């Protein structure tokens, strides 16, 4: 880069000499400040910028409060679109004590001049160079006083996402401005899972023939979303050629960056032919909020441009507003520079002095000593201009970037706004800054758009490439289950369930899909559908149809349509018929554990009810043998609700009610299960499901080419040595009949769709256990393919119309064995199905016993306190025997004895009142005895 720079210097200095501008201004505020300006006077931006800059300088110099006696002297040079001229003019400015350079520089010129500005530490301000890479740390003295194209590309990406498109074509000028802008667009689209499908670069000075050649290739591409990032110089020529090629009709979407709005604002009204070329376009315009200062400047514009209309009327574009504000930013920064004690001084560049040879006078190129301070003051700007609040962020870009979204019809029609704060909205961005940012999809809004072709219906955004190429669709060349898909012998056509579904979906699409079905596989073994899907990502196929299961591994590679058939993995194994009736059929409804627990609860409930009723119910009393018989009889009779013993206690009735409810449920379930066993054919299998296969070492069969083998290994840890690939239904049957001991398999694991077809003619096998995966079959397309979305919609329509079921019945309806009423033995009622009932009943019994014994202990302590004292606390066995006798005693006897004791206690109390306090115990006993006798004789 240094060598190029030196060569440029030599080219400039060969044309003349510079005066030495070295010196030191002793005054803190000089009378004049030299500001350089480089414009292309004949461009839309340059013409407007020239008028705005002159107006701004005049306004600054007429305001004594700004620079306080110092006059801005703006020297303008016409670079006439030339990068070389821009470099030479910049070098001339560097020899005339210039403290800053302002320009409507192109991005190409800005890159080169920024190196000069860095070397000589002169701030370079541009209100038109929008290349995103100019904001990098590589150019510390470059200050962009307009919006960065990175934000413009973010706005376009949001528009593409808003209308649910996925691919765009970029047409751009092949220079730093175009390439870097489109690179930023690609980055922003990637954040939305969108992409640029085709890039169409054009030379900066492209001829009409060059443009035609590029646009012909664009017309042959698939996408119809065209983003044009051009310059006003040749942008309209591109659109004229596109109109000639028929690329402005219905189905196309044109999104132009803000170069188009610049032309519309500057050169309006455009010729009628030009306006016809841009009907339905979407373009962006830099947003500047409404203000009194802006309105006043717009009203001045006619007077300012009165002498500038040699080439027709000139309107005010947004670059003119940014140009005006650029002068004010620089003026405010210079004022702060002087307030901080800055001086306008320059010093020699030692490296340039070393290069001084002959008459080149390189020492004329001097370094601005206050350049860093001035640059920092510029970046610390905080003022309000015609474009709104002016502040710079940490990346030296303006804060609060925003754009208007414009729809071009007969005139420009604003359909919304975009801001980096809240995305797309129909409310001006400055009204949203006071609210919390909301970038949710539901909050993104635009008004209706009128698209090319004068239609309000959103274009689909893509078509099949008009290049004569057919869509290459891979189809598995199966050797088994040809009902799903199979090649017609002797032809290159296919038939089957999957083919009929695909053709029916194609008919529902609103466009033709030229395609060619290509067989995949050798025709000897079933091919791997995973490999077929991988070939789509490799570009071998454009799509794949057939019996392709939608699994995680494949969804990472391609996009699938809506499933058109559901099919999870199941286990099929040999089964044997069981006799419907035999001597022990009545035991088959319940499992062994169920019988054991049910019998145990019958006895438990009988014992609990006996305990609760024994003291008060004569039917639960008597000799021990009779009581045991009562318990057993009462327990068994509750099954039939025929028990004769009545319950008296409240606790006993509660337990009996809960138990009778449990018996009702068990009885009903037993009856239903026994009926099914005696009327439906029963099947028995050693394999109960996938869990049985996991716990054994028996070989397992699976379909060759299927994902099943890898799934069993990765998800269930089944060793590969146990997995046997099988190629056809006949292989399934033979391996299952042999069994694991004779070189066969214990079971076959495959997708339900295949197994149901397999079982339709082989009744000695059956599905065992439950389906242990859930997936479906779909058609595979490349990532983000719009055809996948349209095909999914078509498949849903087929399902809603019943056509999908009719196709299924045509190919897959068979008299399956499961329709004969066969039922697996595993349908026995298990204990876990009734665990809640038994738990509730058991808790009720425990609670009733707890309450019962609590009451007994309380009564025992109250009625037998004296006996307990007489027995003594040391004889626990005596107390326990007394308590057991109390519990076994009938309730009426306890009450009689209690009443008798109360009478005796009352009698003894009355006698004791006539004795002295010192009466002995023996005297009390005697009196009590005599009183008892007298009571007895009185009665």
């Amino acid at each position: 880069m240094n060598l190029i720079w030196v060569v440029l210097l030599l080219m400039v200095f060969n044309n003349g000499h510079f005066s030495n501008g070295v010196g030191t201004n002793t005054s803190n505020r000089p009378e004049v400040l030299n500001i350089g300006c480089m414009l292309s006077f004949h461009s839309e931006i340059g013409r407007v910028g020239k008028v705005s800059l002159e107006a701004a300088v005049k306004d600054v110099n007429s305001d004594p409060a700004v620079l306080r006696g110092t006059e801005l002297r703006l020297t303008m040079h016409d670079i006439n679109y030339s990068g070389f001229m821009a470099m030479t003019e910049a070098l001339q400015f560097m020899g005339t004590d210039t403290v800053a350079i302002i320009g409507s520089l192109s991005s190409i010129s800005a890159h080169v001049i920024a190196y000069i500005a860095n070397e000589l530490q002169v701030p370079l301000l541009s209100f038109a160079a929008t290349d995103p890479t100019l904001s990098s740390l590589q150019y510390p003295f470059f200050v962009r006083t307009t919006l960065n194209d990175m934000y413009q590309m973010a706005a376009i990406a949001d528009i593409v996402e808003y209308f649910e498109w996925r691919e765009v074509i970029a047409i751009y000028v092949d220079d730093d401005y175009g390439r870097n802008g489109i690179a930023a667009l690609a980055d922003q689209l990637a954040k939305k899972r969108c992409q640029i499908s085709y890039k169409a670069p054009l030379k900066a000075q492209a001829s009409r023939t060059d443009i035609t050649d590029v646009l012909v290739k664009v017309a042959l591409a698939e996408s119809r979303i065209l983003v044009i990032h051009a310059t006003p110089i040749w942008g309209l020529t591109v659109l004229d050629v596109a109109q000639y090629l028929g690329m402005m009709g219905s189905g196309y979407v044109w999104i132009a960056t803000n170069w188009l709005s610049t032309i519309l604002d500057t050169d309006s009204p455009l010729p009628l032919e030009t306006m016809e070329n841009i009907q339905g376009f979407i373009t962006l315009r830099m947003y500047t909020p409404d203000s009194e200062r802006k309105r006043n400047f717009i009203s001045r514009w006619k007077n300012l441009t009165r002498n500038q209309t040699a080439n027709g009327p000139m309107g005010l574009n947004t670059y003119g507003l940014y140009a005006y504000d650029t002068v004010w930013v620089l003026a405010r920064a210079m004022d702060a520079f002087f307030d901080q004690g800055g001086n306008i001084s320059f010093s020699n560049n030692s490296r340039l002095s070393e290069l001084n040879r002959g008459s080149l006078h390189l020492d004329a190129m001097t370094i601005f000593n206050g350049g860093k301070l001035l640059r920092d003051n510029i970046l610390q700007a905080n003022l309000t201009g015609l474009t709104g609040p002016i502040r710079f962020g940490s990346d030296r870009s303006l804060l609060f970037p925003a754009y208007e979204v414009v729809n071009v019809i007969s005139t420009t029609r604003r359909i919304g706004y975009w801001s980096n704060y809240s995305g797309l909205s129909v409310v001006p961005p400055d009204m949203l800054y006071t609210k919390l940012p909301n970038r949710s999809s539901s909050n993104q809004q635009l008004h209706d758009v009128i698209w090319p072709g004068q239609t309000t219906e959103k274009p689909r955004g893509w078509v099949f490439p008009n290049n004569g190429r057919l869509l290459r669709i891979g189809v598995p060349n199966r050797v088994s289950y040809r009902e799903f898909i199979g090649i017609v012998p002797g032809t290159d056509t296919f038939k089957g369930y999957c083919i009929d579904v695909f053709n029916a979906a194609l008919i529902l699409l609103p466009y033709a899909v030229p395609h060619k079905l290509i067989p995949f596989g050798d025709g000897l073994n079933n091919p791997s559908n995973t490999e077929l899907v991988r070939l789509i990502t490799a570009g071998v196929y454009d799509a794949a149809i057939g019996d392709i299961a939608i699994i995680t591994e494949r969804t990472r590679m391609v996009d699938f349509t809506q499933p058109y058939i559901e099919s999870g993995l199941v286990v099929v194994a040999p089964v044997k018929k069981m006799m419907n009736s035999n001597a022990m059929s009545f035991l088959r409804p319940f499992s062994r554990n169920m019988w054991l627990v049910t019998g145990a609860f019958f006895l438990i409930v009988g014992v609990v009810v006996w305990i609760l009723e024994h003291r008060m119910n004569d039917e639960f009393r008597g000799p021990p043998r009779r009581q045991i018989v009562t318990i057993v009889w009462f327990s068994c009779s509750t099954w039939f609700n025929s028990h004769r013993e009545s319950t008296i206690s409240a606790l006993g009735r509660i337990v009996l009610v809960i138990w009778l409810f449990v018996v009702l449920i068990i009885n009903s379930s037993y009856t239903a299960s026994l009926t099914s066993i005696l009327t439906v054919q029963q099947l028995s299998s050693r394999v109960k499901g996938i869990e049985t296969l996991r716990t054994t070492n028996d070989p397992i069969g699976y379909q060759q080419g299927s994902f099943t083998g890898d799934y069993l290994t990765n998800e269930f840890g089944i060793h590969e040595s146990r997995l046997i690939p099988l190629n056809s239904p006949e292989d399934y049957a033979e391996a299952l009949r042999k069994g694991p001991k004779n070189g066969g398999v214990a079971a076959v694991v495959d997708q339900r769709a295949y197994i149901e077809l397999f079982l339709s003619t082989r009744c000695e096998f059956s599905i065992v256990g439950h389906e242990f995966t859930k997936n479906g079959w779909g058609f595979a397309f490349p990532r983000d393919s719009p055809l996948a979305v349209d095909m999914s919609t078509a498949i849903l329509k087929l399902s809603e119309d019943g056509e999908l079921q009719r196709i299924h019945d045509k190919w897959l309806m068979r008299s399956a064995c499961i329709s004969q009423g066969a039922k697996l033995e595993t349908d026995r009622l298990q204990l876990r199905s009734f665990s809640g009932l038994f738990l509730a009943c058991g808790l009720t019994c425990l609670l009733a016993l707890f309450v019962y014994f609590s009451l007994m202990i309380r009564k025992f302590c109250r009625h037998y306190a004296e006996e307990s004292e007489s027995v003594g606390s040391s004889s626990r066995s005596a107390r326990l025997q007394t308590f057991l006798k109390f519990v076994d005693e009938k309730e009426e006897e306890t009450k009689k004895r209690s009443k008798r004791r109360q009478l005796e206690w009352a009698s003894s109390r009355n006698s004791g009142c006539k004795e002295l306090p010192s009466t002995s115990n023996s005297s009390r006993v005697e009196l009590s005895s005599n009183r008892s006798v007298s009571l007895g004789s009185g009665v």
Side-chain angles (χ1 to χ4, degrees):
M1 189 65 195
N2 290 333
L3 179 61
I4 297 175
W5 187 73
V6 171
V7 171
L8 293 173
L9 287 175
L10 292 174
M11 294 174 64
V12 173
F13 282 103
N14 281 334
N15 294 326
H17 305 289
F18 291 134
S19 63
N20 191 343
V22 180
T24 302
N25 194 331
T26 57
S27 174
N28 187 34
R29 287 182 179 268
E31 294 182 0
V32 176
L33 282 176
N34 293 322
I35 307 298
C37 180
M38 293 181 291
L39 305 171
S40 293
F41 289 167
H42 300 290
S43 69
E44 282 76 6
I45 297 176
R47 286 189 293 141
V48 173
K50 180 176 181 296
V51 176
S52 296
L53 291 173
E54 291 173 344
V57 170
K58 183 178 179 180
D59 292 345
V60 169
N61 289 335
S62 63
D63 189 346
V66 181
L67 290 175
R68 287 173 279 181
T70 299
E71 178 185 351
L72 284 182
R73 179 179 296 170
L74 186 66
T75 303
M76 294 188 181
H77 289 167
D78 183 10
I79 60 176
N80 195 24
Y81 303 106
S82 172
F84 175 74
M85 289 301 296
M87 290 182 283
T88 58
E89 297 295 342
L91 292 172
Q92 288 185 15
F93 285 132
M94 298 307 176
T96 57
D97 294 350
T98 299
V99 298
I101 298 176
I102 299 175
S104 62
L105 299 168
S106 68
S107 296
I108 302 173
S109 303
H111 275 284
V112 177
I113 298 176
Y115 281 108
I116 302 174
N118 291 348
E119 186 68 25
L120 302 181
Q121 299 184 10
V122 175
L124 175 62
L125 292 80
S126 177
F127 59 88
T130 56
D131 179 0
T133 62
L134 287 170
S135 295
S136 67
L137 299 177
Q138 185 179 5
Y139 308 108
F141 280 86
F142 176 82
V143 180
R144 191 199 321 271
T145 57
T146 188
L147 298 185
N148 190 330
D149 265 348
M150 178 183 67
Y151 299 115
Q152 183 173 206
M153 299 309 173
I156 293 176
D158 279 352
I159 292 172
V160 171
E161 183 189 37
Y162 176 79
F163 289 109
E164 299 178 338
W165 298 315
R166 286 289 173 261
E167 294 183 353
V168 303
I169 293 177
I171 304 171
Y172 60 98
V173 58
D174 194 12
D175 59 14
D176 289 341
Y177 164 74
R179 285 191 301 269
N180 295 333
I182 294 303
L185 175 62
D187 292 340
Q188 297 298 327
L189 288 172
K191 295 178 182 179
K192 312 293 183 182
R193 285 198 64 189
C194 304
Q195 64 178 352
I196 298 175
S197 60
Y198 181 73
K199 293 182 179 180
L202 286 165
K203 294 187 297 185
Q205 303 297 331
S207 65
R208 190 176 182 89
T209 301
D210 296 332
I211 295 173
T212 302
D213 293 341
V214 170
L215 291 187
V216 167
K217 296 178 181 177
V218 170
L220 296 176
E222 178 180 285
S223 177
R224 286 292 182 264
I225 313 301
L226 310 180
V227 176
I228 177 168
H229 186 47
T231 62
I233 301 173
W234 55 264
L236 292 178
T237 305
V238 173
L239 303 184
D240 185 54
V241 174
Q243 176 72 27
Y244 173 76
L245 295 176
M247 300 174 64
M248 296 294 182
S250 298
Y252 281 91
V253 174
W254 286 85
I255 302 175
T257 51
N258 64 346
W259 66 268
L260 182 56
S261 63
T262 300
I263 294 176
L264 292 170
D265 293 338
T266 307
D267 300 330
S268 183
L270 294 177
L272 181 60
E273 181 181 356
T274 302
M275 287 301 297
E276 289 179 353
N277 292 341
I278 59 176
Q279 294 299 297
F281 268 53
I282 291 179
T283 186
L284 299 176
R285 177 190 290 127
M286 290 183 286
Y287 172 73
T288 55
D290 188 29
S291 66
E292 185 177 355
R293 292 189 62 190
K294 178 181 173 182
R295 289 193 298 270
N296 291 337
F297 186 78
I298 293 174
S299 65
R300 292 172 54 194
W301 186 252
K302 284 187 179 181
N303 293 330
L304 294 173
T305 59
R306 182 174 300 170
N307 299 323
Q308 309 286 335
T309 58
N311 297 323
M314 182 171 64
L316 176 63
N317 58 48
T318 51
Y319 285 105
L321 301 177
Y322 281 103
Y324 183 91
D325 285 348
T326 300
V327 174
W328 278 92
V329 168
L330 179 59
R332 294 293 187 187
M334 289 301 308
D335 186 53
F337 173 82
F338 291 132
D339 287 344
Q340 295 166 2
N343 289 313
I344 305 301
S345 63
F346 298 86
S347 59
N348 288 323
N349 190 327
S350 59
R351 291 191 295 177
L352 291 178
S353 300
E354 294 174 0
L355 293 174
N356 193 9
R357 299 288 188 275
S359 60
L360 292 180
H361 296 288
L362 295 179
D363 56 345
M365 310 293 295
T366 56
I367 297 174
F368 178 29
N369 296 326
K372 292 183 179 179
L373 179 59
L374 177 58
R375 178 203 60 190
D376 293 342
N377 285 334
I378 293 172
L379 295 176
Q380 293 171 7
N382 187 3
L383 66 152
T384 301
L386 301 182
T387 58
I390 302 174
R391 280 188 286 168
F392 293 93
S394 59
D395 62 346
R396 306 200 306 278
S397 294
L398 288 174
L399 297 179
F400 311 115
Y403 290 86
E404 297 179 34
V405 184
V406 177
N407 185 204
V408 182
I409 312 299
S410 56
T411 59
T412 57
R413 169 176 165 263
R414 185 173 57 217
I415 59 173
Y417 304 88
W418 178 92
S419 70
N420 193 42
Y421 186 77
S422 57
L424 298 172
S425 70
V426 294
V427 179
D430 46 305
M431 297 180 62
L432 299 175
Y433 292 141
T434 57
K435 303 177 181 179
L436 293 175
N438 187 349
R439 298 298 294 267
S440 63
S441 58
S442 60
N443 198 56
Q444 304 299 292
Q445 295 179 350
L446 288 176
H447 292 301
D448 293 337
V449 180
I450 298 178
W451 304 101
Q454 299 296 313
T455 177
T456 57
E457 183 180 355
K458 185 191 75 172
R460 189 171 68 246
W462 69 279
V463 295
F464 281 99
N466 189 20
N467 54 11
R469 178 178 174 272
L470 300 177
L471 201 67
R472 294 170 54 86
I473 301 178
V475 184
N477 187 10
R478 295 192 56 86
V479 297
S480 62
Y481 297 112
R482 293 179 179 270
E483 293 87 348
F484 292 103
I485 191 167
I487 193 168
V488 178
T491 68
D492 57 354
T493 60
F494 290 84
K495 66 176 182 178
Y497 170 73
C498 301
I499 296 295
D500 281 5
V501 172
F502 177 71
N503 291 333
L506 286 183
I507 294 174
L508 296 179
L509 297 181
Y511 48 85
V513 182
H515 64 278
K516 180 181 180 181
L517 301 182
I518 303 172
F520 171 70
D522 56 11
L524 302 176
N525 297 289
N526 289 326
S528 170
N529 285 339
T530 300
E531 178 63 19
L532 174 59
V533 168
R534 190 193 66 78
L535 291 177
I536 296 177
T537 63
V540 177
Y541 300 113
D542 300 312
I545 65 173
D547 54 337
I548 306 173
I550 304 173
I551 59 176
T552 304
E553 180 184 3
R554 296 171 185 172
T555 56
R556 294 192 182 106
M557 296 186 283
V558 297
D559 283 347
F560 281 93
T561 62
Q562 175 78 16
Y564 58 87
I565 188 173
E566 293 186 1
S567 180
L569 291 180
V570 294
V571 179
V572 62
V575 294
K576 59 181 180 179
K577 296 180 181 180
M578 297 180 62
M579 296 296 294
N580 283 0
S581 299
N582 56 44
M584 305 301 292
S585 293
F586 67 92
L587 295 176
R588 284 165 54 189
F590 289 164
S591 64
R592 182 179 61 178
N593 291 339
M594 181 65 182
W595 279 117
L596 292 175
V597 171
T598 302
F601 261 85
F602 271 106
L603 295 177
I604 291 172
V605 171
V607 171
V608 170
V609 172
W610 177 83
I611 292 174
L612 298 176
E613 295 289 325
H614 178 67
R615 299 189 75 246
M616 61 183 65
N617 194 336
D618 291 336
E619 295 181 355
F620 289 88
R621 299 186 64 83
R625 179 181 298 178
R626 179 185 172 186
Q627 294 183 41
I628 293 174
V629 171
T630 300
I631 292 174
V632 175
W633 168 249
F634 179 83
S635 300
C636 296
S637 61
T638 54
W639 176 273
F640 309 101
N641 200 19
S642 60
H643 51 281
R644 292 175 299 177
E645 294 79 9
S646 59
T647 53
I648 298 176
S649 66
L651 293 175
R653 290 176 176 176
I654 292 173
V655 170
L656 186 59
V657 167
I658 299 299
W659 174 241
L660 288 177
F661 177 75
V662 173
V663 168
L664 174 64
I665 300 300
I666 294 176
N667 195 5
S668 302
S669 303
Y670 174 85
T671 303
S673 181
L674 182 61
T675 302
S676 175
I677 289 173
L678 296 179
T679 57
V680 179
Q681 177 179 310
Q682 300 292 305
L683 304 176
S684 175
S685 174
R686 184 176 62 87
V687 178
K688 306 301 181 183
I690 188 64
E691 295 300 328
T692 303
L693 297 178
R694 292 181 64 180
T695 57
T696 65
N697 293 320
D698 294 337
I700 304 170
Y702 71 97
Q703 185 178 165
Q704 187 175 25
S706 170
F707 72 94
T708 307
D710 293 336
Y711 184 84
L712 293 176
T713 300
N714 298 332
E715 299 296 328
F716 291 97
I718 297 175
H719 198 271
E720 294 181 3
S721 59
R722 295 179 55 196
L723 301 177
I724 309 298
L726 303 172
N727 211 29
S728 66
E730 291 74 21
D731 295 341
Y732 286 15
E734 183 180 356
L736 289 171
R737 291 189 185 106
K738 287 182 178 179
K741 296 182 180 180
N742 298 316
V745 296
V748 170
V749 178
D750 205 350
Q751 298 181 69
R752 178 177 287 275
Y754 299 124
I755 294 303
E756 288 181 348
L757 204 59
F758 170 76
L759 295 178
S760 63
T761 56
R762 298 170 179 86
C763 297
E764 68 269 32
F765 311 111
S766 179
I767 296 174
V768 294
H770 301 285
E771 186 175 343
F772 56 93
T773 65
K774 290 289 184 181
N775 55 43
W777 293 356
F779 303 137
F781 293 90
R783 282 291 189 138
D784 300 320
S785 170
L787 187 57
V789 178
D790 290 350
M791 287 292 287
S792 293
T793 304
I795 290 172
L796 288 175
K797 289 182 180 178
L798 291 175
S799 178
E800 293 170 356
D801 297 342
E803 182 64 22
L804 205 59
Q805 185 62 43
R806 286 190 288 271
I807 297 174
H808 178 277
D809 295 343
K810 171 185 173 182
W811 289 98
L812 306 180
M813 181 60 70
R814 300 288 188 274
S815 56
C817 295
I818 54 174
S819 64
Q820 301 174 5
K823 193 175 184 181
L824 285 174
E825 179 193 13
T826 54
D827 287 343
R828 279 187 171 187
L829 297 175
Q830 303 294 325
L831 177 61
R832 62 176 175 272
S833 302
F834 301 90
S835 57
L837 287 173
F838 287 126
L839 179 62
C841 183
L843 291 176
T844 303
C845 292
L846 290 176
L847 181 61
L849 290 176
F850 175 77
V851 173
Y852 174 77
F853 281 109
S854 298
L855 295 174
M856 289 299 99
I857 292 173
R858 181 182 176 186
K859 290 181 179 180
F860 176 76
C861 294
R862 186 175 59 190
H863 296 295
Y864 285 85
E866 294 183 2
E867 284 80 352
S868 298
E869 291 178 2
S870 63
V871 171
S873 59
S874 61
S875 178
R876 295 183 179 179
S877 59
R879 286 204 307 270
L880 179 60
Q881 290 178 3
T882 304
F883 177 72
L884 293 177
K885 290 180 180 179
F886 173 75
V887 171
D888 184 61
E889 189 177 35
K890 193 174 181 181
E891 182 74 15
E892 294 179 358
E893 296 179 1
T894 303
K895 290 181 178 180
K896 291 179 180 180
R897 187 169 59 255
S898 176
K899 186 179 295 186
R900 186 168 57 251
R901 288 181 177 278
Q902 290 177 1
L903 293 174
E904 292 175 354
W905 178 79
S907 175
S908 62
R909 185 176 179 182
N910 293 332
S911 300
C913 291
K914 297 178 182 181
E915 299 294 328
L916 293 174
S918 60
T919 305
S920 64
N921 290 336
S922 59
S923 301
R924 266 186 246 155
V925 171
E926 183 179 356
L927 289 172
S928 177
S929 177
N930 294 334
R931 204 173 268 120
S932 298
V933 171
S934 63
L935 280 171
S937 59
V939 174

